[in-house]
Amino acid sequence: MITIKKVKSILFLLLGFISLVIGVAGTVLPVLPGGPFYLFAAFCFAKSSKSIENWFKSTSLYEKYVEAFLQKKGMTRKEKIRINLVADFFIIYSVFFVDILLVKILLVVLALYKHYYFIKKIKTIDRNSTKQRDS
């Protein structure tokens, strides 16, 4: 019998691998940010299983993108702007092509929350030093 815990584990594993694939695409494609997808993949893998989490932590992708973010405890202004512009493009694109009003409202609320989170919750760090400052 499949338990709820097992279903959650499989769901997080699938979400982790989907996020990982999108992150890799974002590393190759200049318009898609890879970093946030690697962070989400790390979160999902940690929730799915210890062995998958350990595997992902041993990859160079984790070291370069996730660990670097966690050590810096923030993002540069350029990284924040780039990620927000790309996300905004896809959100605006979706708003114009979705016919359901509730979904449009949800997308706009999501975009506003995303901006709030990037401005207030993620530290803006100086690219040339390790000093941190609030944005």
Side-chain angles (χ1 to χ4, degrees):
M1 182 180 342
I2 297 178
T3 63
I4 292 178
K5 186 177 179 179
K6 186 74 170 171
V7 171
K8 283 173 126 176
S9 178
I10 292 169
L11 180 63
F12 277 117
L13 183 65
L14 288 172
L15 286 173
F17 276 112
I18 290 168
S19 184
L20 180 62
V21 168
I22 295 171
V24 170
T27 302
V28 177
L29 302 171
V31 296
L32 185 66
F37 291 102
Y38 292 132
L39 288 169
F40 186 64
F43 170 79
C44 290
F45 289 148
K47 294 285 187 179
S48 68
S49 90
K50 195 68 176 164
S51 60
I52 297 293
E53 178 188 16
N54 291 337
W55 164 78
F56 187 58
K57 284 183 175 182
S58 71
T59 65
S60 60
L61 292 173
Y62 180 86
E63 291 174 18
K64 184 174 181 179
Y65 295 100
V66 178
E67 203 169 84
F69 174 78
L70 295 175
Q71 287 176 354
K72 292 189 301 184
K73 301 278 193 252
M75 300 174 117
T76 64
R77 188 171 311 283
K78 184 178 178 181
E79 289 172 320
K80 284 181 165 186
I81 291 170
R82 182 174 161 255
I83 290 168
N84 274 295
L85 286 175
V86 171
D88 285 343
F89 169 78
F90 287 109
I91 290 171
I92 291 168
Y93 180 83
S94 298
V95 166
F96 283 117
F97 287 99
V98 170
D99 291 331
I100 304 167
L101 180 61
L102 183 62
V103 173
K104 288 182 177 193
I105 293 169
L106 184 63
L107 287 168
V108 170
V109 169
L110 176 68
L112 292 173
Y113 181 76
K114 174 184 62 70
H115 283 283
Y116 162 78
Y117 192 85
F118 269 77
I119 292 168
K120 296 292 185 183
K121 300 292 184 182
I122 298 175
K123 299 271 187 210
T124 301
I125 57 173
D126 188 6
R127 173 175 80 126
N128 297 323
S129 71
T130 57
K131 291 181 186 175
Q132 296 180 356
R133 64 182 190 278
D134 288 318
S135 22

